[in-house]
Amino acid sequence: MDGEIYIKDHKDWLKTKEIIDNRSNLPVVMDGDIWLLQVGVNLGSEIDGKGSSYARPVYVFRKINKDTFIGIPLTT
């Protein structure tokens, strides 16, 4: 993206995030799992999701607790 201007659509992501935040049945993840996750549109240089679902495959590197893990995106 050298020289390109990329405008992020945070408003559309916020609508999707509201739906995700209201889910009550969260999946159980384990170290070593690969999940297709909605990673969203982020600030700065973090990895953004792709497409209308803002999804990317993510490797679960380390599970911290039932609500948190360290994940590594598998695509660029």
Side-chain angles (χ1 to χ4, degrees):
M1 289 210 314
D2 293 328
E4 293 181 36
I5 296 175
Y6 176 63
I7 299 172
K8 297 183 177 192
D9 185 1
H10 293 99
K11 290 179 183 177
D12 189 49
W13 164 241
L14 289 175
K15 292 175 193 172
T16 304
K17 184 171 173 44
E18 284 182 24
I19 295 167
I20 296 168
D21 285 343
N22 289 326
R23 292 182 185 164
S24 60
N25 56 340
L26 297 175
V28 175
V29 300
M30 302 298 289
D31 292 356
D33 282 355
I34 297 175
W35 286 82
L36 187 62
L37 301 178
Q38 293 171 294
V39 294
V41 177
N42 298 293
L43 302 176
S45 59
E46 296 98 346
I47 300 295
D48 289 341
K50 296 290 185 187
S52 61
S53 66
Y54 303 96
R56 282 187 181 272
V58 174
Y59 173 75
V60 178
F61 177 71
R62 178 73 38 92
K63 183 176 178 176
I64 307 294
N65 60 42
K66 70 178 187 77
D67 298 320
T68 308
F69 66 90
I70 298 171
I72 301 169
L74 297 176
T75 59
T76 58

